[in-house]
Amino acid sequence: AEVTRDEGFGAQRLLTRATFNGRARLLNVGRAGSLTVTGLGSYSTFELPSPLRNSDIEAGRIDFYGAYDPRSEGTSARAVLIFKYDHQYTQSELSVTGYGGYRELDLLENFTGFLLNPTDGDRRDQHQETSSFGLFGTYDYRMSPKLSLRGGLGVRGDLLSQDEQNIGRSLEVLAERRELNALQMIS
């Protein structure tokens, strides 16, 4: 487990993060095989300082360690759970792995200040969610000490959604830029 908090070296650079990685053996019986579970998780919040134009720094309109938008920030969350079963026979070995995962990212950012939209600013809000899953299996058969035959099957998939909006000075939605949903499968 880890917890981090860092205020950074200028405006809009605060980072807070917590992570956990763990593994446990649920079953370890000679003839029944072994079953392990692995869990991974993280959550973070962060501020986004944005790049600054040289002309604004040279004219004294903004400090080198400053930021255009004091509201630029983000959150990120991720979790993965993995189960793995292994069984060894006299001349063969079976391995099956299944997993599920979740990923979420939220960003409220303004990297260009008021360059593109001098009235409302260039702020945008982005959101992405992804759920992933998979199941893989392999079977090895030792035909001789130097020759093995291996077969395997697997499937993996991702279900995701994304959206992006232009956001005004009072965090009102000015325009929808993108809204996507997708499912992809690989076998």
Side-chain angles (χ1 to χ4, degrees):
E2 173 202 13
V3 176
T4 302
R5 179 179 168 84
D6 186 356
E7 293 187 14
F9 53 88
Q12 288 301 107
R13 287 167 170 84
L14 177 66
L15 164 71
T16 305
R17 177 182 65 210
T19 61
F20 172 80
N21 299 329
R23 176 177 286 164
R25 190 174 302 274
L26 301 177
L27 177 67
N28 190 16
V29 180
R31 291 189 168 245
S34 67
L35 177 65
T36 58
V37 62
T38 303
L40 313 168
S42 69
Y43 181 80
S44 63
T45 62
F46 48 90
E47 295 176 330
L48 299 166
S50 76
L52 304 173
R53 290 188 297 277
N54 285 336
S55 59
D56 287 344
I57 295 169
E58 291 166 358
R61 289 189 288 269
I62 195 161
D63 179 76
F64 178 78
Y65 294 106
Y68 287 126
D69 191 342
R71 292 182 171 173
S72 290
E73 62 186 7
T75 60
S76 175
R78 177 174 281 175
V80 177
L81 192 60
I82 305 163
F83 289 93
K84 184 173 184 191
Y85 174 76
D86 290 306
H87 192 289
Q88 292 203 356
Y89 304 93
T90 306
Q91 284 188 279
S92 60
E93 182 178 330
L94 172 68
S95 180
V96 178
T97 302
Y99 73 90
Y102 177 77
R103 171 88 167 104
E104 184 174 358
L105 178 66
D106 284 304
L107 298 174
L108 181 62
E109 60 188 1
N110 186 349
F111 285 120
T112 54
F114 289 82
L115 181 66
L116 302 176
N117 187 337
T119 306
D120 293 307
D122 301 335
R123 187 180 291 138
R124 63 185 180 167
D125 183 26
Q126 298 179 72
H127 179 78
Q128 178 167 330
E129 274 185 80
T130 305
S131 297
S132 301
F133 54 90
L135 182 64
F136 301 91
T138 60
Y139 182 76
D140 288 304
Y141 180 75
R142 285 182 296 283
M143 300 171 72
S144 72
K146 294 184 178 184
L147 182 63
S148 291
L149 180 63
R150 172 180 260 193
L153 292 172
V155 64
R156 116 168 230 173
D158 298 293
L159 179 62
L160 64 99
S161 67
Q162 279 184 351
D163 61 74
E164 182 178 326
Q165 304 162 332
N166 287 353
I167 304 294
R169 287 180 186 243
S170 301
L171 301 181
E172 75 276 14
V173 175
L174 299 175
E176 297 283 341
R177 291 185 59 172
R178 171 179 46 221
E179 187 172 349
L180 307 169
N181 294 297
L183 170 64
Q184 66 179 4
M185 300 284 291
I186 301 169
S187 60

